[in-house]
Amino acid sequence: MNGIRTKIVLFIGMMVCLWACKGSDGDKLVDALPPMYPDYPNVTLPVNIAPLNFLLRTSTERVEVRLRGKSGESTFIGSNGKIQFPEKEWHALLQRECGGKIEVSVRAQQGDDWLRYKAFMWQIVPEQLDTYIVYRQISPEGENRHVELCEREVGNFHERKIMQEETDGVMPHLSVNTLYNMTDARSNNVMALWMPERAMTTSSDCLWEYFGTQSRLCAINRENGQSRILADTLSGQTVRAFPALSADGRSLYYSEAPAAVRDSLDAWCFSIYHRKFNSQNLTWADAVDTVYYSDTVKVSAVELSLSPDGRYLLFATTAYGLPSSGHRDSDLRLLHLDSGRLDSLEIVNTEAAEGQPSWTSDSHWFVFMSKKGDGLYGKPYFCYVDSAGVAHKPFMLPQRDPARYDYMLESLENPMMVSRPMESDAFRKTNEIINENTEP
C-alpha cells in the first residue's frame, strides 16, 4: 500500500511540474528573456523613434509579440523569426503610452510547440531625439577605403547619402546641430568645431585642431578669414585635440598630452583641461583648470562632447593614444560638471569599443559608436539621461530589416544628431575655409 501511495505522490508531482512548465494556453514557459537581436529588452525609448524591429536568434517559424500599456494591448505577428512593426501603428502606440511603460511579451513557434519567454519592459519618455542622425559609413580597410556620409531620419527608415569619396585616409565627417548652430567637420588631419552663434556678435567663428609636428588649437573668423592660434607658454611642447565648446561660446574644454612622448604610444595619454574663452577677440584665458588628469587615472581621455545645457562632459577613455574606435578597451565616461562626480557608465560600456559620443540638442540623449556584438563594426546607439543625471540602458539604431547589421560589411561611425536636413555642399564649404587657413 505504501508503494502505491508513493507512486501516486510521484505521479502528482510530475503532473504539477509539467503544468508549471506550460501556460494556461499550452505554451511552454521559458525562464529567460527572448534571444532577440538587437538587444532591446528593458530599454528607454524616445516617443519619436522608428519601430524597434527585431529577430530571434533561434530556428523560429512564427513570432507573436504582445505590447500592453495603459491604453490597452496590441498584438503583432511575424514570420521566419522576424518582427517588423507597421510604422503608423507603432507611432500611434508610442504617443498613447508616452510617459509610461509598455510590457512586451514574446511567443515563438518551433515545430508544433509555442515557447513563451519572460516579459520585459519598454519605458517611453517624452524627450525626443533630434530629427536626423548623420554618420560616416565606412567600408572595410584595404588599399582604399570607401566612405559615405549618410543622413537618416530617426522616426522612420529613410536614409540619404550626402556625399561619398574613395579615400586612403581622408574620411569626411560633418554634422550640424541647428538649435545652437554647432558644426563639426573632419578632413584629413584637421577637425573643425564651429562655435555657436551669439547675440553679442554677428560673426560665427571656428576652432580646429591640427595633428602635425606642432599640434595646435586655432580660431578663425569666417567673415574675414582671419585666424588666431590659441597659444601660450607651452605651445610646441604639447599636443592639443578634441575641442568642446559651451553653447554660449565662453568655455572651452580640450584634450592635451605632452609632445615629448609621442613616439612612445603606450605612454602617450591625454588629460582634459578647461579655459575661459573670449569670443569677441578670439582669445582664451591664461588660467587653466585641470578636469581629468591622465597621470592620476592612467588612461587617455579623448573625443570630448559637452552637453548644450553645460551640465555634462562626455568623453572616451583608452589605455593610450587618440581615437577610440581602434581600441577594444575604449569606454565612455560621464562627468557631472556641477558636482565633479564621474559616472563610469557601466550600463553603457561593454567588452567591445565604445566612443565618439555626441549630445542631442536638449541634453537628455547622447548618441555614440559601439562595436558591441561582433567587435569589428561600429553601430550607433542612443542613451537616455534623465533629469537626475542617471543614464539608462542604450539601444541600437533600429533598421527596417533587423538582419541588416548581420549582412552589412560597413562600419557606421562618428554619429551626430541634427535637427534639419544637411545641405549637400556644407562639407565642401567647410573644407574650403579650413584649407585656406591651414598649412601642409
Side-chain angles (χ1 to χ4, degrees):
M1 180 67 92
N2 289 337
I4 294 176
R5 289 179 179 175
T6 302
K7 291 179 180 179
I8 292 174
V9 170
L10 290 174
F11 175 78
I12 293 174
M14 291 174 60
M15 294 302 295
V16 169
C17 289
L18 288 172
W19 177 83
C21 293
K22 288 204 172 195
S24 58
D25 52 4
D27 290 355
K28 289 186 176 180
L29 304 183
V30 181
D31 189 24
L33 292 172
M36 63 192 303
Y37 180 83
D39 179 21
Y40 286 152
N42 302 315
V43 295
T44 300
L45 304 176
V47 70
N48 65 328
I49 191 63
L52 258 63
N53 300 332
F54 64 87
L55 57 84
L56 297 182
R57 295 288 198 199
T58 56
S59 177
T60 302
E61 299 170 24
R62 297 180 66 204
V63 183
E64 179 186 279
V65 177
R66 294 181 182 177
L67 305 182
R68 179 182 301 172
K70 58 187 178 183
S71 66
E73 182 178 295
S74 301
T75 302
F76 301 90
I77 305 296
S79 59
N80 299 319
K82 290 183 183 180
I83 279 288
Q84 294 171 288
F85 299 99
E87 287 188 31
K88 279 190 175 181
E89 291 184 50
W90 171 266
H91 286 295
L93 174 66
L94 294 194
Q95 288 292 338
R96 293 195 305 269
E97 303 299 332
C98 185
K101 292 184 177 181
I102 298 175
E103 181 185 69
V104 185
S105 300
V106 178
R107 299 174 67 227
Q109 184 183 19
Q110 293 183 351
D112 295 330
D113 296 324
W114 278 90
L115 307 182
R116 183 186 297 276
Y117 295 95
K118 288 178 64 174
F120 57 88
M121 307 299 291
W122 284 339
Q123 181 179 356
I124 315 301
V125 295
E127 292 85 1
Q128 299 188 19
L129 293 171
D130 292 328
T131 309
Y132 303 90
I133 178 174
V134 178
Y135 47 83
R136 296 183 302 162
Q137 184 168 298
I138 307 173
S139 64
E141 292 193 32
E143 183 177 349
N144 290 310
R145 304 182 75 184
H146 181 72
V147 182
E148 294 179 335
L149 191 65
C150 301
E151 177 185 88
R152 157 80 188 273
E153 294 185 47
V154 299
N156 55 51
F157 304 105
H158 180 258
E159 184 180 63
R160 179 172 69 98
K161 289 179 173 56
I162 300 171
M163 67 168 294
Q164 61 184 16
E165 183 174 351
E166 295 291 344
T167 173
D168 57 357
V170 180
M171 293 178 283
H173 174 46
L174 175 67
S175 47
V176 182
N177 193 318
T178 57
L179 182 66
Y180 57 99
N181 195 33
M182 184 170 285
T183 307
D184 174 310
R186 185 183 298 270
S187 172
N188 203 358
N189 291 329
V190 178
M191 186 183 78
L193 174 70
W194 299 114
M195 293 170 54
E197 289 182 340
R198 302 170 302 280
M200 67 183 71
T201 175
T202 57
S203 65
S204 187
D205 312 308
C206 168
L207 292 169
W208 88 81
E209 58 191 26
Y210 174 65
F211 296 109
T213 56
Q214 275 195 328
S215 182
R216 59 193 180 181
L217 294 178
C218 305
I220 300 175
N221 187 309
R222 284 193 290 174
E223 290 185 344
N224 55 30
Q226 293 179 350
S227 64
R228 181 188 296 272
I229 297 175
L230 302 179
D232 57 13
T233 56
L234 295 178
S235 182
Q237 302 176 37
T238 60
V239 177
R240 297 194 178 101
F242 304 108
L245 197 67
S246 62
D248 61 6
R250 297 179 181 179
S251 291
L252 175 65
Y253 294 82
Y254 58 94
S255 297
E256 180 179 298
V261 297
R262 200 165 181 185
D263 292 334
S264 304
L265 287 180
D266 57 351
W268 195 37
C269 291
F270 282 75
S271 299
I272 301 176
Y273 297 95
H274 164 258
R275 295 195 190 204
K276 294 296 184 182
F277 187 77
N278 188 320
S279 56
Q280 292 182 332
N281 57 18
L282 306 184
T283 59
W284 62 9
D286 292 333
V288 183
D289 299 322
T290 302
V291 178
Y292 192 82
Y293 192 46
S294 62
D295 282 1
T296 302
V297 294
K298 304 301 180 184
V299 295
S300 185
V302 296
E303 298 177 344
L304 314 187
S305 182
L306 184 64
S307 64
D309 63 8
R311 292 181 62 189
Y312 312 108
L313 182 67
L314 261 173
F315 56 94
T317 61
T318 66
Y320 63 88
L322 282 167
S324 63
S325 59
H327 294 259
R328 185 178 292 271
D329 65 344
S330 174
D331 287 329
L332 291 178
R333 298 287 184 264
L334 179 66
L335 179 63
H336 295 243
L337 295 175
D338 54 352
S339 65
R341 181 171 68 89
L342 185 65
D343 189 342
S344 59
L345 293 178
E346 294 182 2
I347 200 168
V348 172
N349 295 313
T350 67
E351 295 181 356
E354 276 81 34
Q356 303 170 356
S358 179
W359 289 94
T360 56
S361 57
D362 70 353
S363 300
H364 273 294
W365 292 90
F366 65 85
V367 61
F368 63 97
M369 180 280 303
S370 176
K371 293 186 177 181
K372 176 182 176 181
D374 56 30
L376 299 174
Y377 300 104
K379 306 170 190 68
Y381 280 74
F382 302 100
C383 180
Y384 176 67
V385 179
D386 61 30
S387 56
V390 177
H392 293 220
K393 179 183 174 181
F395 67 93
M396 189 190 300
L397 174 69
Q399 300 290 346
R400 186 185 304 277
D401 180 0
R404 181 186 176 188
Y405 290 119
D406 284 342
Y407 58 74
M408 70 181 298
L409 297 178
E410 293 83 20
S411 193
L412 308 182
E413 299 191 12
N414 292 101
M416 179 79 78
M417 301 303 302
V418 299
S419 52
R420 68 179 182 185
M422 184 186 300
E423 297 178 7
S424 59
D425 62 346
F427 175 78
R428 295 178 180 85
K429 289 181 179 179
T430 303
N431 269 359
E432 290 175 4
I433 295 174
I434 294 172
N435 291 334
E436 291 173 359
N437 289 274
T438 57
E439 297 177 0

